[in-house]
């Protein structure tokens, strides 16, 4: 069962709520970050909390000079160790900072915070074995560096097809990222992924780029052109929960030979072998 920390205590999530006056409900003003927990230990917690702080600043949500972030960091650590943390502490902690009830000319001085601990659930093993399909869209994500709660554009652009896992943002024909993951192709012996700034500073993305470079891969940070998909040897996405998942089709374009590629598999292996390095002590 999912648990949530709000108003100073942990409770079952279905007993938690926020007022309907909160601007996250009325205007979509809110940011969050998802931290993966492995056996009750948070993965890359500092990087996630730094990004949460950055997201809040970009959304002009007030943070009392970082005290809120420190508090949330403590809550993630505490929740991860609780006996009622879902799946024996192998789950996801989602920390939210909402706009609260007060809007001062586009500044939000009275935010609310809560952290949900829930089962990550839904990556079928077939996704790693067979790969997934994405739906390309010409839309982009506004304020790419903020992890906003507003996924409306991406959800609509990827909606309505059972064979599609997520949309792939391709504004002006340049590939950036997917609905909730960072995106990579391998082409002419190089791993190519969009630069931070054009996309969210994905924590898994950063680790994969680091591991790839340390292990002899050539990594180029630029937005691939949509036309390069047809010439790519493989593609994959990364996120905290999914780690590394091969992508075998984008719209009607089959990537490479339509099967998961060796770089995705090697990088996932390297990621798994190095998890300890980024685990909370
Ligand atoms: C959460 C998210 C990611 C993945 O970030 P991680 O830190 O690797 O989990 C990438 N892109 C978008 C748009 C996201 O919302």
């Amino acid at each position: 069962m999912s648990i949530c920390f709000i108003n100073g205590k942990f409770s079952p999530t279905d007993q938690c709520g926020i007022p309907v006056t909160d601007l996250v409900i009325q205007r979509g003003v809110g940011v969050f970050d998802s931290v993966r927990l492995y056996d009750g230990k948070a993965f890359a917690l500092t990087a996630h909390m730094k990004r949460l702080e950055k997201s809040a600043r970009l959304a002009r949500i007030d943070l009392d000079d970082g005290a809120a972030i420190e508090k949330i960091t403590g809550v993630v650590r505490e929740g991860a160790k609780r006996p009622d943390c879902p799946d024996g502490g192998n789950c996801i902690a989602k920390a939210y900072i909402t706009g609260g009830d007060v809007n001062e000319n586009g500044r939000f001085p009275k935010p609310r915070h809560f952290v949900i601990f829930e089962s990550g659930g839904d990556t079928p093993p077939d996704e790693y074995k067979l790969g997934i399909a994405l739906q390309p869209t010409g839309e982009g994500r506004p304020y790419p560096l903020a992890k906003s709660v507003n996924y409306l554009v991406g959800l609509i652009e990827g909606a309505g097809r059972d064979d599609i896992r997520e949309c792939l943002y391709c504004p002006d024909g340049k590939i950036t990222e997917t609905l909730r993951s960072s995106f990579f192709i391998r082409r002419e012996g190089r791993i190519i992924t969009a630069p931070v700034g054009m996309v969210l500073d994905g924590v898994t993305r950063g680790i994969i780029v680091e591991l790839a470079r340390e292990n002899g891969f050539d990594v180029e940070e630029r937005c691939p052109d949509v036309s390069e998909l047809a010439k790519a040897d493989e593609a994959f996405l990364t996120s905290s929960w999914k780690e590394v998942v091969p992508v075998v089709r984008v719209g009607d374009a089959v990537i490479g030979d339509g099967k998961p590629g060796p770089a995705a598999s090697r990088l996932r292996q390297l990621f798994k072998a190095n998890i300890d390095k980024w685990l909370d002590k």
Side-chain angles (χ1 to χ4, degrees):
M1 189 184 45
S2 162
I3 56 170
C4 176
F5 183 93
I6 189 166
N7 300 328
K9 65 176 200 293
F10 288 91
S11 315
T13 302
D14 60 8
Q15 291 169 23
C16 298
I18 59 168
V20 292
T21 43
D22 196 296
L23 287 153
V24 74
I25 294 172
Q26 299 205 356
R27 293 282 188 271
V29 180
V31 296
F32 78 110
D33 221 285
S34 294
V35 184
R36 181 158 179 173
L37 310 179
Y38 294 88
D39 291 330
K41 291 181 182 169
F43 182 80
L45 183 58
T46 309
H48 281 285
M49 292 297 106
K50 275 201 183 129
R51 188 174 67 188
L52 180 63
E53 182 168 10
K54 190 170 202 175
S55 296
R57 290 198 194 291
L58 286 166
R60 294 161 61 90
I61 296 173
D62 229 329
L63 284 174
D64 343 318
D65 296 327
I69 295 293
E70 227 169 277
K71 176 120 198 280
I72 292 167
T73 306
V75 168
V76 172
R77 289 205 167 108
E78 191 187 338
K81 300 262 178 276
R82 283 173 65 95
D84 56 356
C85 188
D87 301 338
N90 289 286
C91 63
I92 207 98
K94 296 199 293 188
Y96 288 83
I97 303 177
T98 73
D101 299 341
V102 182
N103 175 1
E104 281 177 359
N105 295 320
R107 241 198 77 237
F108 309 100
K110 296 235 170 269
R112 287 193 173 84
H113 320 138
F114 55 94
V115 184
I116 298 173
F117 297 79
E118 66 181 25
S119 188
D122 71 342
T123 311
D126 267 4
E127 289 197 359
Y128 298 107
K129 254 195 298 185
L130 305 175
I132 60 164
L134 303 174
Q135 179 64 33
T137 168
E139 301 290 338
R141 247 180 88 242
Y143 309 109
L145 284 172
K147 199 166 172 86
S148 155
V149 298
N150 191 338
Y151 278 54
L152 186 59
V153 171
L155 286 169
I156 288 174
E157 293 300 312
R161 289 177 53 173
D162 291 341
D163 59 331
I164 293 291
R165 194 45 89 211
E166 298 185 17
C167 80
L168 178 64
Y169 293 111
C170 312
D172 304 318
K174 297 287 180 196
I175 300 171
T176 55
E177 62 195 320
T178 80
L179 176 71
R180 53 191 170 188
S181 307
S182 311
F183 181 79
F184 299 71
I185 63 170
R186 179 174 62 85
R187 191 184 162 212
E188 292 172 342
R190 288 186 156 170
I191 307 280
I192 306 167
T193 193
V196 171
M198 297 299 289
V199 295
L200 186 73
D201 189 359
V203 173
T204 322
R205 174 198 177 284
I207 289 172
I208 288 294
V209 166
E210 187 180 323
L211 288 173
R213 286 188 168 136
E214 279 172 15
N215 287 275
F217 289 93
D218 209 350
V219 182
E220 196 178 341
E221 295 184 70
R222 64 172 175 86
C223 295
D225 202 273
V226 171
S227 64
E228 292 182 74
L229 286 171
K231 303 170 201 152
D233 298 304
E234 66 173 291
F236 55 92
L237 53 74
T238 68
S239 77
S240 295
W241 183 253
K242 293 181 178 275
E243 302 172 340
V244 182
V245 174
V247 173
V248 293
R249 186 163 58 79
V250 176
D252 295 325
V254 172
I255 309 286
D257 61 3
K259 298 203 183 89
S265 149
R266 174 85 181 114
L267 289 168
R268 180 154 183 252
Q269 207 179 19
L270 284 167
F271 183 86
K272 287 227 169 274
N274 283 279
I275 283 174
D276 270 1
K277 244 164 87 178
W278 285 279
L279 270 194
D280 219 20
K281 296 298 172 262

